[in-house]
Amino acid sequence: MPSRITTSIIIPLITIVTTLNSAGSARPTRLVLPRQLLRKHVIFYGMSTQSAADPRYPIGDFVRPTAVDAMHRRASIATLAALPENLRAAVDGLTEAQIDTPYREGGWTVRQLVHHVADSHMNAYIRTRLALTEDWPTIKPYNEGLWAELPDARTLPVEVSLELLDPLHRRWVALFESLNEEEWQRGYNHPESGRYSLAQVAALYDWHSRHHAAHITALRKSKGW
């Protein structure tokens, strides 16, 4: 992973524009690309010139923070709370053919991306609970590439995972909001990438949430959808 550090943190502010459907209820119609709020703190989500031009990393690749203060934790929790609606807004109005379009050449389709977010965040939620109930457990990795090729990830409507993410993130956010300072320093050991405190986990999935939403919004922008 990159280790470059600067002296600013970028916190995205997502705006969802809504309209009324025929039943008179509001629904998101598009995701307005993030504005940037700059603060004078160590950056968590470094973006190099190379990664900024890489369609795999539309917001830059993740830089693991060495220290995470309360302000940054609150920002990460806010991103996690907003993810279900932001992801729903990102795919709103797409046709089935568009949903089955890869976000880049050789990449996952939008359908696979949405189902991947659900897969990834279910695992992350369970890992969070393990970290709070065991002493630095070693978690089991999974092959996300092979998971994305399973029939459900390739064929089910994106709405299935969008509906799953709503209650999942409500519980995850509620759990994070309940933690005290000592609990934030608990964590788990990833056999491939090392130890993560729960504060670092929150930062990672803050980035992950914005990372995949940006894959979809970048694709829509490039295609004029």
Side-chain angles (χ1 to χ4, degrees):
M1 286 188 178
S3 59
R4 186 182 59 83
I5 300 295
T6 70
T7 56
S8 299
I9 179 168
I10 299 174
I11 302 175
L13 301 178
I14 305 295
T15 302
I16 298 173
V17 179
T18 61
T19 60
L20 296 180
N21 61 22
S22 58
S25 59
R27 65 178 181 87
T29 58
R30 64 189 177 94
L31 186 67
V32 178
L33 293 179
R35 291 178 288 122
Q36 293 177 341
L37 178 64
L38 301 181
R39 299 186 184 277
K40 292 182 179 179
H41 286 273
V42 174
I43 195 165
F44 285 4
Y45 320 112
M47 185 190 300
S48 68
T49 301
Q50 290 178 328
S51 63
D54 188 337
R56 295 175 301 170
Y57 300 101
I59 64 168
D61 42 9
F62 177 67
V63 177
R64 191 191 315 196
T66 56
V68 187
D69 64 22
M71 184 195 74
H72 294 119
R73 295 196 301 259
R74 287 194 298 270
S76 292
I77 290 171
T79 298
L80 292 173
L83 179 275
E85 195 60 37
N86 287 342
L87 195 60
R88 184 181 296 278
V91 301
D92 185 72
L94 293 178
T95 67
E96 287 298 295
Q98 290 168 336
I99 287 172
D100 284 323
T101 301
Y103 79 93
R104 64 176 176 85
E105 185 177 355
W108 289 339
T109 65
V110 172
R111 190 183 308 276
Q112 288 173 299
L113 283 173
V114 174
H115 293 317
H116 161 72
V117 172
D119 289 343
S120 172
H121 291 198
M122 283 191 291
N123 275 279
Y125 172 64
I126 294 299
R127 292 170 179 179
T128 300
R129 297 180 71 81
L130 288 171
L132 289 167
T133 56
E134 301 179 18
D135 185 19
W136 287 90
T138 297
I139 56 92
K140 185 180 185 304
Y142 68 100
N143 189 320
E144 62 182 34
L146 292 181
W147 281 41
E149 294 298 327
L150 291 173
D152 60 333
R154 294 184 63 87
T155 63
L156 278 179
V158 294
E159 185 64 25
V160 174
S161 283
L162 293 174
E163 290 180 355
L164 185 157
L165 285 164
D166 283 324
L168 174 64
H169 274 244
R170 285 184 65 184
R171 287 197 63 178
W172 200 10
V173 165
L175 184 57
F176 273 147
E177 287 178 336
S178 74
L179 301 187
N180 59 37
E181 194 65 37
E182 181 179 353
E183 289 168 328
W184 277 112
Q185 302 315 312
R186 296 179 69 95
Y188 56 74
N189 180 63
H190 191 293
E192 297 170 357
S193 53
R195 288 163 67 94
Y196 282 84
S197 70
L198 289 181
Q200 292 172 322
V201 169
L204 171 60
Y205 287 94
D206 173 343
W207 171 85
H208 191 258
S209 296
R210 295 180 292 110
H211 169 68
H212 285 304
H215 280 147
I216 300 169
T217 55
L219 173 65
R220 296 188 72 152
K221 183 178 180 181
S222 69
K223 297 288 189 180
W225 294 341

